[in-house]
Structures are given as C-alpha cells and as structure tokens.
C-alpha cells in the first residue's frame, strides 16, 4: 500500500468545510461563523459545502447530499484541506459513496473528530 501524504497548508490555500455527520447546532451558528472568520484571518480562503448547514433529522442532509459535499471537495484540485464542521452520527453510512479515485488523485488534509474518525480510517485504508 502506498501512503499518499498531502502537502502542508500555506497562506492563501483554500480550505473546504463540510458536515459529513451532524451540522453545527443552530444555537452555535455564531461560533461556526467565528471559526470561519478565524481561518480567514489566518490567511486561508474558505469554501463551504453546499449542504454544510442542512438539517435532516440529526444529520446535515441526506446521505447522498453529505457524500456529494465530501466528494466535491476531494474532486476540487483547488481545495487543499477539508475541515469537518463537527462530529456526530451518520458518517459511516457514507463510506460506500466515497469517490476513492478522487481521494487518491487529490490527497488532502482531513480534520475532524468523533464520527469523522470512521472517514479518516477508511481513507487511510
């Protein structure tokens, strides 16, 4: 197995924001916006996924829409890292919908916690 490592982030790089599990809670939207502003102050550009704030029960949209955001970020060569807005539940349901060829072609830093660990382990494998 060949381990493909993404390059380090540099000022001006584009960071994609997705919610492959739960979305930011409505009462935490101010904190979410502050986080985006912080990344911009550090010199990064930010691209939010189309479904990052969707609400579908406890998830950030349907399985298909969350997978769409994930795959769009991996397919976009301008995106250098992907940050997940939060953990939660439901991420393992996306594993068979991932475009693993795009992941191999465009390796990226993936930041997340909790349920996102299943995604990180699937990409590592």
């Amino acid at each position: 197995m060949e381990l493909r490592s993404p390059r380090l982030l540099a000022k001006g790089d584009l960071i994609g924001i997705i919610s492959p599990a739960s979305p930011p809670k409505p009462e935490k939207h101010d904190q979410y916006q502050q986080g985006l502003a912080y990344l911009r102050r550090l010199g990064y550009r930010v691209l939010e996924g189309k479904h990052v704030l969707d609400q579908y029960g406890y998830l950030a949209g349907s399985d298909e829409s969350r997978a769409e955001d994930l795959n769009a970020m991996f397919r976009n060569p301008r995106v250098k890292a992907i940050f997940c807005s939060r953990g939660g539940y439901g991420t393992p349901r996306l594993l068979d919908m991932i475009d693993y060829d795009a992941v191999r072609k465009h390796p990226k830093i993936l930041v997340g916690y909790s349920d996102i660990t299943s995604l990180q382990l699937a990409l590592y494998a």
Side-chain angles (χ1 to χ4, degrees):
M1 173 176 80
E2 176 191 354
L3 182 60
R4 303 199 58 180
S5 297
R7 68 174 186 75
L8 298 175
L9 286 177
K11 284 188 177 185
D13 279 349
L14 183 62
I15 297 174
I17 309 295
I18 62 171
S19 297
S22 301
K25 292 180 180 182
E27 62 272 17
K28 303 266 185 174
H29 279 194
D30 284 347
Q31 287 178 326
Y32 170 75
Q33 291 301 324
Q34 290 172 12
L36 298 181
Y38 176 72
L39 292 174
R40 290 181 181 112
R41 281 194 309 275
L42 291 176
Y44 300 112
R45 295 175 299 124
V46 175
L47 174 65
E48 292 178 87
K50 199 163 77 170
H51 304 285
V52 73
L53 295 176
D54 284 4
Q55 188 76 47
Y56 184 75
Y58 60 85
L59 299 170
S62 67
D63 293 351
E64 293 75 18
S65 63
R66 291 179 291 115
E68 176 188 333
D69 276 358
L70 173 65
N71 287 324
M73 294 299 177
F74 271 108
R75 290 174 183 147
N76 186 337
R78 296 176 303 135
V79 172
K80 303 304 178 194
I82 302 170
F83 288 14
C84 300
S85 67
R86 65 173 286 200
Y89 301 97
T91 303
R93 294 164 33 175
L94 307 181
L95 299 182
D96 64 345
M97 296 183 224
I98 296 171
D99 181 351
Y100 289 100
D101 288 332
V103 173
R104 277 189 284 285
K105 187 175 180 181
H106 304 287
K108 301 172 193 295
I109 296 166
L110 177 66
V111 178
Y113 68 98
S114 182
D115 212 48
I116 307 308
T117 305
S118 65
L119 177 58
Q120 292 165 326
L121 290 172
L123 298 181
Y124 180 75

